[in-house]
Amino acid sequence: MVIELVLPLGFILAGLLGGIISEKFIFNKLKQFVANRKIPGSTILFRSLNRMIFIWCLLAGLYGAIISSHAEPEVTDLLKRIFTIIFLYSVTLVVARLVAGFVNLYLQRSEGLSASLLSNLAKIIVLILGTLILLQTIGVQITPIITTLGISGLAVGLALQDTLTNLFAGFYLIFSKQVRTGDYLKIEGGHEGYVIDINWRHTTVKELSNNVIVIPNSKLGTAIFTNYHLPGKEIILMISVGVGYDSDLEQVEQVTVEVAKEVMKEIAPELLENQPYIRFETFGDSSINFTLYMAINEFFDQRIARHLFIKKLHKRYQKEGIKIPFPIRDVYLQNNGNSNRALKAE
């Protein structure tokens, strides 16, 4: 009896040791070798095979132990089927990881596409197809299962109506390219920030204050919002300025444009071909008002651009003798003698 157990135990021990050696030494060494060569997709491949080499070696040892044992045929057939199911499911899991990983890699290289929703969808599809193939392989008729799933799907769809609405709204947002990861949105209600993910249920927006806003996809799909990265990231920053009535407007225009160019050289030198310019607009109560138009890389840069421009312009105006006047108004006070006295208020 003991002699009969030696060979099966030997197979199990060989599978166990083979899995440990393969996983801890061969797999890790090969992983480091490929990582040093920076082969495209290698990280996804090794991440997908994580722990699977050990499982396959152990299954091989167990399978050999079953074959070499003198167990009852019914028990042997049952164990073989169980090991086959485990092996096929592990292969399906590896394929699902590979597909999700490469979809994720492609979407990361495609600017603005959400990796979360599409990669998870690809993984689920592979797992479902792999499970159906596995059942077909072990002799289970999948046609009744598909029919049952179809009928059950209608009931589940009614029960999960809100979830499915958000799911399809997420697909609409992605494929219509109205919202992409990395875009800066300003949503009705005052919320604004960068889109960091679009998943099957909601869109995540990160505010400049480092807070996170979670918006259901169906709500975002029907909301009024401004996407500051469409059709391009570059925007025109508009800054209102006023100068005194005694100013030389030609000098004002020249100096202001020069200061704007200095700011652009610091924050957006690649956009200098789009020359900044000003447009005089109104005769105000105490100043002649105009607006500066200056190109910057994206919405976020407007804060630093405005900050630098105001500092530099104020310093340059002081140097050139150009005044930015205080608001002045004439206020008339009526006394009991019905005479008017004018006061000048700043």
Side-chain angles (χ1 to χ4, degrees), residues 77-125:
D77 291 340
L78 177 61
L79 292 175
K80 285 181 179 179
R81 177 167 293 192
I82 293 173
F83 295 153
T84 301
I85 292 173
I86 295 173
F87 174 74
L88 291 177
Y89 186 77
S90 65
V91 171
T92 301
L93 188 59
V94 170
V95 175
R97 290 176 178 176
L98 285 172
V99 171
F102 282 110
V103 169
N104 195 13
L105 180 64
Y106 170 76
L107 294 177
Q108 288 176 352
R109 293 179 178 179
S110 301
E111 184 179 357
L113 291 179
S114 173
S116 175
L117 179 59
L118 297 181
S119 62
N120 287 334
L121 178 64
K123 186 175 182 178
I124 291 172
I125 291 174

Side-chain angles (χ1 to χ4, degrees), residues 111-114 179-185 193-198 204 227-229 233 298:
E111 184 179 357
L113 291 179
S114 173
V179 178
R180 305 166 301 177
T181 54
D183 285 356
Y184 192 93
L185 301 185
Y194 287 96
V195 178
I196 58 177
D197 190 26
I198 304 174
T204 306
N227 190 333
Y228 287 97
H229 284 184
K233 290 185 178 181
E298 64 163 306

Side-chain angles (χ1 to χ4, degrees), residues 120-135:
N120 287 334
L121 178 64
K123 186 175 182 178
I124 291 172
I125 291 174
V126 172
L127 287 175
I128 292 174
L129 293 177
T131 302
L132 293 176
I133 294 173
L134 187 153
L135 294 174

Side-chain angles (χ1 to χ4, degrees), residues 106-301:
Y106 170 76
L107 294 177
Q108 288 176 352
R109 293 179 178 179
S110 301
E111 184 179 357
L113 291 179
S114 173
S116 175
L117 179 59
L118 297 181
S119 62
N120 287 334
L121 178 64
K123 186 175 182 178
I124 291 172
I125 291 174
V126 172
L127 287 175
I128 292 174
L129 293 177
T131 302
L132 293 176
I133 294 173
L134 187 153
L135 294 174
Q136 184 73 27
T137 302
I138 62 176
V140 177
Q141 295 295 323
I142 63 173
T143 303
I145 296 177
I146 295 175
T147 304
T148 304
L149 288 176
I151 297 173
S152 302
L154 294 175
V156 172
L158 293 174
L160 301 177
Q161 186 173 359
D162 290 341
T163 300
L164 293 176
T165 300
N166 286 317
L167 176 63
F168 289 115
F171 283 124
Y172 171 75
L173 291 172
I174 291 173
F175 291 116
S176 67
K177 296 185 178 180
Q178 293 180 346
V179 178
R180 305 166 301 177
T181 54
D183 285 356
Y184 192 93
L185 301 185
K186 188 171 184 179
I187 309 163
E188 61 177 343
H191 298 298
E192 59 182 275
Y194 287 96
V195 178
I196 58 177
D197 190 26
I198 304 174
N199 62 27
W200 61 275
R201 184 172 180 80
H202 56 255
T203 298
T204 306
V205 176
K206 187 175 183 180
E207 294 182 305
L208 296 180
S209 58
N210 212 30
N211 297 321
V212 171
I213 306 170
V214 178
I215 308 170
N217 293 331
S218 59
K219 297 292 184 182
L220 185 60
T222 58
I224 298 174
F225 60 85
T226 302
N227 190 333
Y228 287 97
H229 284 184
L230 289 178
K233 290 185 178 181
E234 298 82 5
I235 67 170
I236 301 298
L237 174 63
M238 296 177 290
I239 303 176
S240 298
V241 186
V243 295
Y245 273 91
D246 58 348
S247 302
D248 181 348
L249 297 187
E250 294 293 338
Q251 181 191 21
V252 169
E253 182 173 10
Q254 178 184 349
V255 170
T256 306
V257 170
E258 288 177 359
V259 172
K261 288 181 179 179
E262 291 179 12
V263 174
M264 289 184 66
K265 286 180 181 178
E266 291 188 29
I267 64 173
E270 64 276 13
L271 299 178
L272 275 172
E273 60 181 17
N274 301 317
Q275 294 291 322
Y277 59 92
I278 71 172
R279 291 294 181 264
F280 292 101
E281 296 175 342
T282 60
F283 292 99
D285 293 336
S286 57
S287 62
I288 297 176
N289 301 321
F290 64 88
T291 300
L292 167 78
Y293 299 87
M294 178 173 57
I296 56 176
N297 285 318
E298 64 163 306
F299 183 82
F300 181 75
D301 291 341

Side-chain angles (χ1 to χ4, degrees), residues 21-75:
I21 295 173
S22 299
E23 186 75 26
K24 296 295 183 181
F25 298 100
I26 299 176
F27 184 79
N28 288 335
K29 291 293 184 182
L30 185 60
K31 184 178 179 180
Q32 293 176 2
F33 174 80
V34 174
N36 293 333
R37 298 297 187 278
K38 296 182 179 179
I39 300 176
S42 59
T43 303
I44 298 173
L45 176 62
F46 284 102
R47 190 184 298 126
S48 302
L49 291 173
N50 186 37
R51 302 296 181 188
M52 291 302 173
I53 304 297
F54 174 79
I55 293 174
W56 291 342
C57 289
L58 182 60
L59 285 175
L62 292 172
Y63 199 86
I66 292 299
I67 294 177
S68 61
S69 67
H70 299 284
E72 296 294 330
E74 294 81 5
V75 176

Side-chain angles (χ1 to χ4, degrees), residues 297-312:
N297 285 318
E298 64 163 306
F299 183 82
F300 181 75
D301 291 341
Q302 67 170 332
R303 289 166 174 79
I304 185 63
R306 194 184 299 273
H307 169 78
L308 292 174
F309 177 76
I310 291 174
K311 285 177 58 179
K312 291 179 179 291

